[in-house]
Amino acid sequence: MPMPHRTFAEVAKRRLVGKEGSDRLATIRTLLGELPGYRNGPYADLRKWLEGELDRTRVRAKIVHRDSLQVRREGAAQIALVGPPNAGKSSLLQALSDIQIKTGDYAFTTLRPVPALTRIGGVLVQLVEIPGLIEGAHEDRGGGRALLGVLRNADAIVYCRAAAEPPSSLDVVLGEVAAAGIEKRAILALTKADELADDDLERAVGNACGDSTQALEGVIAVSVLDDESLGRLRDAIWSLTGLIRVQPRRGGRVDDEPFALPQGATVADLADRVHHDVGRSCTGGRVWGLSARFDGQRVGRGHVLVDGDVVEVLVR
Ligand SMILES: Nc1nc2c(ncn2[C@@H]2O[C@H](COP(=O)(O)OP(=O)(O)OP(=O)(O)O)[C@@H](O)[C@H]2O)c(=O)[nH]1
Ligand SMILES: [Mg+2]
């Protein structure tokens, strides 16, 4: 019995998330190998789609990265890491993902935006290090306009500066972002927190909020040497996305991978994300979690979900 085609499509999409180049090509070929060989119908459509993906991946591998600063969006949200040179942005990127990136004890180690995927509560979120914003960037000094363009595309910002540095070390960056007219939800990461004694760190966090003309939603002291602090940063980044995580339940089993949905999403929105047909035939659901009054509560299509809900979608 082959896997139902809808399940296959979903599994295929998930297995391709975050993959590029030869890795993506290999996964597509494996998927093509697993696909039943019907000439017509939904499986044939899937084959056509996968073969198209092979071509599109090859084309991207040839053209991307040559000299463009564009960052291809991946994952549920895109979060930019911005800060003065040497603030520890690349180190954070590395600590939060499995990317290998050059870090160095000097300014401008990173010269172009670098994306990396991190998993937060089962959902992939894209982090992008924005390098080298110098004074005058909004007038294109140091190629600043393209870098600010990447920032403009992001969903939210994590400002980074070393905890031991004065708040003014972020002034240039904040000034350029403001001059470019970019306003996004943002938090401040006080990096290299291990370099300060506890009281000094507390004081640094307390004084940090005067930092920004842009409203900050939080200040997180973080060190790449301290996993707990990295966990807190992850959680803060998740809040910045403004998304909720919802886990579908099918046949009594809860899916490992949650779906990321916008705040205010309903059971019908979740069903539609699983598949448009499911969205159309959805009559409601059963819900476990904070939006339910009791475990397994039967709700209608319009029931609003919250972060962490588990939902069994009911169809006609
Ligand atoms: N003690 C300590 N050092 C850190 C930490 N994070 C980064 N560093 C050091 O700070 C220096 C700069 O780190 P990078 O990650 O390259 O900083 P960056 O902001 O990416 O720098 P540019 O790309 O040059 O703008 C390196 O020597 C890192 O080893 C940390 O949490 N604790
Ligand atoms: Mg860097």
Side-chain angles (χ1 to χ4, degrees), residues 121 123 238 242-248 258-270 286-294 297 299-312:
V123 176
W238 179 257
L243 298 168
I244 61 169
R245 286 163 290 209
V246 178
Q247 276 170 292
F259 282 83
L261 298 169
Q263 241 151 43
T266 60
V267 171
D269 295 329
L270 170 69
R286 293 175 66 209
V287 180
W288 290 255
L290 288 177
S291 83
R293 268 182 284 125
F294 51 87
Q297 186 192 351
V299 298
R301 285 170 54 85
H303 176 83
V304 175
L305 300 167
V306 301
D307 197 34
D309 277 352
V310 170
V311 182
E312 188 172 301

Side-chain angles (χ1 to χ4, degrees), residues 130-168:
I130 312 279
L133 284 182
I134 56 172
E135 193 147 13
H138 71 284
E139 287 162 342
D140 208 24
R141 267 192 77 201
R145 199 168 296 148
L147 298 173
L148 286 164
V150 177
L151 188 58
R152 204 183 300 280
N153 270 328
D155 297 310
I157 299 176
V158 177
Y159 289 105
C160 304
R161 75 166 166 83
E165 296 287 329
S168 59

Side-chain angles (χ1 to χ4, degrees), residues 43-92:
Y43 289 106
D45 292 343
L46 279 171
R47 179 168 297 277
K48 213 185 275 166
W49 168 66
L50 281 171
E51 283 166 355
E53 276 303 300
L54 271 183
D55 289 342
R56 286 186 285 276
T57 305
R58 283 197 199 103
V59 169
R60 273 203 303 275
K62 276 202 201 107
I63 52 169
V64 188
H65 311 313
R66 199 158 288 159
D67 231 317
S68 118
L69 291 179
Q70 301 272 351
V71 176
R72 202 164 73 89
R73 277 184 91 95
E74 283 190 281
Q78 190 185 62
I79 310 289
L81 269 56
V82 202
N86 215 27
K89 303 177 294 293
S90 298
S91 304
L92 277 182

Side-chain angles (χ1 to χ4, degrees), residues 79-256:
I79 310 289
L81 269 56
V82 202
N86 215 27
K89 303 177 294 293
S90 298
S91 304
L92 277 182
L93 210 64
Q94 191 150 310
L96 293 171
S97 70
D98 50 13
I99 191 180
Q100 292 302 318
I101 175 175
K102 199 166 156 194
T103 62
D105 194 12
Y106 44 85
F108 302 109
T109 313
T110 310
L111 295 170
R112 47 179 54 251
V114 181
L117 282 168
T118 187
R119 199 174 277 280
I120 307 183
V123 176
L124 287 170
V125 173
Q126 187 181 43
L127 306 176
V128 184
E129 175 180 358
I130 312 279
L133 284 182
I134 56 172
E135 193 147 13
H138 71 284
E139 287 162 342
D140 208 24
R141 267 192 77 201
R145 199 168 296 148
L147 298 173
L148 286 164
V150 177
L151 188 58
R152 204 183 300 280
N153 270 328
D155 297 310
I157 299 176
V158 177
Y159 289 105
C160 304
R161 75 166 166 83
E165 296 287 329
S168 59
S169 63
L170 201 57
D171 284 355
V172 168
V173 167
L174 289 172
E176 292 305 320
V177 173
I182 297 172
E183 278 177 46
K184 307 255 168 197
R185 297 182 65 174
I187 55 170
L188 172 65
L190 289 180
T191 56
K192 313 190 198 180
D194 56 282
E195 287 182 342
L196 286 187
D198 287 353
D199 336 353
D200 292 336
L201 185 60
E202 227 168 86
R203 214 164 307 129
V205 172
N207 293 335
C209 268
D211 260 30
S212 172
T213 48
Q214 317 221 349
L216 290 174
E217 292 183 31
V219 180
I220 313 282
V222 63
S223 159
V224 296
L225 306 174
D226 173 7
D227 284 344
E228 244 175 64
S229 74
L230 290 167
R232 283 195 294 276
L233 179 59
R234 270 206 169 84
D235 291 345
I237 289 174
W238 179 257
S239 318
L240 270 185
T241 67
L243 298 168
I244 61 169
R245 286 163 290 209
V246 178
Q247 276 170 292
R249 180 182 141 129
R250 301 170 227 230
R253 261 200 72 235
V254 178
D255 277 16
D256 290 336

